[in-house]
Amino acid sequence: MATEEILEPFELNFSDLLRFSSSPLSDSSSPDCLDSVYDGVMEALGPLGPGLLCVAGVPLDFNLLRQKILPLARKLALLSSGDRDRILKCHGLGSDVPLKNPYRTVSSFAKQFKYADCRDLPKGNSVEDKQVLHDTDFDQLGTAFDRLSYCMMEVGLMLAELCDRKIGGQELKSSLLNSGTGKGRLIHYHSEYDNQIIKKSRERSSKKATKPTPFHTSSHQECERFKTKNQGTERKDIFTSSIRSSSDVWQNWHYDYGIFTVLTAPLFLIPDNMNSLDCTSEWNPPNGLHTCLQLYDRVRRKILMVKASPESFIVQVGETAEILSKGKLRSTLHSVHRPSWWGYLSRENFVVFLQPAWDKFLTMSGRDNSGDHDDDDNELEGDLDKEITKAVPPLRSRLKDGMTFAEFSRVTTRQYYGGGGTQSRK
């Protein structure tokens, strides 16, 4: 039986990334003091590592942008569809998940961006930045979205260059630059209370109900008890209790199929006022700085709960990076955990997906078998191992030699979520 542990990822300082990006491509020219950084990065992202690291020391401006934009995810998710569509259109955003289901666990607001456009944005301490940070509600949503995407894209590009130096060649960074595009997502992970709000709002709008109905008769008191019991350290088991089934996850087990996924540390919100959607408080997880992001360590057969500071970015390896590096990097099998006391707790996050061009050809040949996560499936023993793997279609069933990245992404999406897929709801 697998057990859950806390993972404190390797921390790479943002200033070190900048130093690497301004250095020649030859390892021999790198300062000796940075050798330990190389080793730490490859240990974290290599075949025996978690496939994930944190980037600390991110410039203050971008942490302020995080604080500004993350609470907007919940506000957008709970708006009426007409108001939400108008705001998204105004800022050039869309949604890549269905928003009609009132019981959905996730709402996502997305935008494809071009690297060239991002590089033209102001790089900090500008008049535009100050307007974004002091703006109310959605007026500067699009600008904040673009600014944060730009910084996270730069982190991914610099990390790709660093990995290329240790792997040899320039495959990762050149694949990203040849693509020229990325995808940003502002994500709201719903609480049960959020879904009740959406359901009641739709009933009122369709005249099936004439007045709001509370979540339950003592909703305000229950919410206050939740905050009192679980703030700080009194309830330390909220993130470390026994492993749960897939019904206790906001997002089921999966691999990202791009090159890198760059995430902000999440924000957790609790409603203060049952009669107002705007009155929320940030909730600080007990027992450390947890993220609800959990990884599956296939070597030790353990689930690892990721711990990260709010001021850091998290970078995960995707399957295409594993393929292009011929197994020298290891993709991250992960899910988003839903705590046991989740009725009023929501999670907000901002994510940037970095991928190669759609016409990039992929091949399985020349891979280092120690980095092939399909090989681990042949040695599964425990029920949890098999349950997690059942949710994830094997890489070899999704990737054939000579496929383009576009074909790989279509097959992967279909085998996860299409009719008959491992996580299909049909």
Side-chain angles (χ1 to χ4, degrees), residues 45-64:
L45 304 185
L48 300 181
L52 171 150
L53 56 74
C54 287
V55 177
V58 176
L60 175 62
D61 288 348
F62 298 106
N63 286 313
L64 295 175

Side-chain angles (χ1 to χ4, degrees), residues 168 233 257:
T233 59
Y257 56 81

Side-chain angles (χ1 to χ4, degrees), residues 16 21 24 43 56 88 104 118 146 163 167 178 231 270 288 304-305 361 372 413:
D16 284 337
S21 66
E43 182 178 346
L88 294 178
R104 63 187 183 272
C118 289
D146 291 344
C163 292
I167 294 170
N178 289 338
Q231 191 74 275
I270 293 285
L304 307 177
M305 187 70 72
F361 287 101
D372 189 345
T413 302

Side-chain angles (χ1 to χ4, degrees), residues 188-249:
H188 172 64
Y189 296 86
H190 289 237
S191 67
E192 181 177 326
Y193 180 63
D194 292 336
N195 291 115
Q196 293 293 328
I197 291 174
I198 294 171
K199 179 183 177 183
K200 297 303 179 184
S201 176
R202 292 191 177 186
E203 288 177 352
R204 291 194 299 273
S205 65
S206 62
K207 299 182 180 181
K208 292 182 180 179
T210 59
K211 60 181 180 179
T213 303
F215 177 52
H216 52 71
T217 56
S218 59
S219 57
H220 180 72
Q221 292 89 337
E222 286 294 317
C223 189
E224 289 303 312
R225 281 201 292 271
F226 174 87
K227 289 190 286 185
T228 300
K229 289 172 66 176
N230 295 291
Q231 191 74 275
T233 59
E234 185 175 340
R235 281 300 305 267
K236 293 183 179 180
D237 65 330
I238 186 171
F239 285 95
T240 56
S241 51
S242 60
I243 303 304
R244 297 159 181 78
S245 67
S246 60
S247 62
D248 288 325
V249 294

Side-chain angles (χ1 to χ4, degrees), residues 103-147:
Y103 298 105
R104 63 187 183 272
T105 58
V106 172
S107 292
S108 172
F109 311 103
K111 179 180 181 180
Q112 291 284 139
F113 60 88
K114 297 181 180 179
Y115 295 168
D117 293 342
C118 289
R119 291 178 182 276
D120 292 335
L121 290 170
K123 296 193 176 182
N125 298 317
S126 65
V127 173
E128 289 86 350
D129 288 334
K130 294 178 181 178
Q131 290 175 342
V132 169
L133 297 175
H134 292 90
D135 170 55
T136 58
D137 291 330
F138 303 108
D139 287 351
Q140 297 291 329
L141 170 63
T143 302
F145 197 106
D146 291 344
R147 292 280 292 111

Side-chain angles (χ1 to χ4, degrees), residues 68-86:
K68 172 67 184 178
I69 198 172
L70 292 191
L72 299 182
R74 181 175 187 265
K75 291 184 179 182
L76 282 168
L78 299 186
L79 284 174
S80 68
S81 59
D83 288 343
R84 181 173 55 240
D85 291 346
R86 175 180 54 80

Side-chain angles (χ1 to χ4, degrees), residues 232-367:
T233 59
E234 185 175 340
R235 281 300 305 267
K236 293 183 179 180
D237 65 330
I238 186 171
F239 285 95
T240 56
S241 51
S242 60
I243 303 304
R244 297 159 181 78
S245 67
S246 60
S247 62
D248 288 325
V249 294
W250 269 307
Q251 190 169 19
N252 208 343
W253 293 97
H254 66 285
Y255 291 96
D256 293 341
Y257 56 81
I259 292 181
F260 287 138
T261 305
V262 187
L263 311 90
T264 63
L267 175 73
F268 297 97
L269 294 178
I270 293 285
D272 287 327
N273 187 332
M274 297 297 110
N275 298 314
S276 174
L277 302 184
D278 293 335
C279 295
T280 56
S281 294
E282 182 175 355
W283 183 72
N284 299 311
N287 201 26
L289 302 171
H290 297 276
T291 62
C292 281
L293 174 65
Q294 55 184 15
L295 315 182
Y296 185 54
D297 185 335
R298 289 176 174 267
V299 177
R300 297 188 297 143
R301 308 296 187 219
K302 292 181 181 294
I303 289 188
L304 307 177
M305 187 70 72
V306 177
K307 180 177 179 180
S309 70
E311 296 79 20
S312 62
F313 289 154
I314 302 168
V315 185
Q316 297 175 186
V317 176
E319 288 180 312
T320 299
E322 181 176 325
I323 295 164
L324 294 177
S325 69
K326 301 188 183 304
K328 293 183 174 64
L329 300 183
R330 179 66 168 261
S331 52
T332 313
L333 178 58
H334 61 285
S335 66
V336 181
H337 168 70
R338 207 173 200 175
S340 55
W341 294 82
W342 58 271
Y344 296 93
L345 182 69
S346 67
R347 181 181 188 267
E348 325 302 323
N349 207 357
F350 192 88
V351 183
V352 167
F353 296 92
L354 301 177
Q355 62 188 46
W358 292 112
D359 59 358
K360 174 74 176 179
F361 287 101
L362 305 176
T363 179
M364 297 282 282
S365 62
R367 290 168 53 82

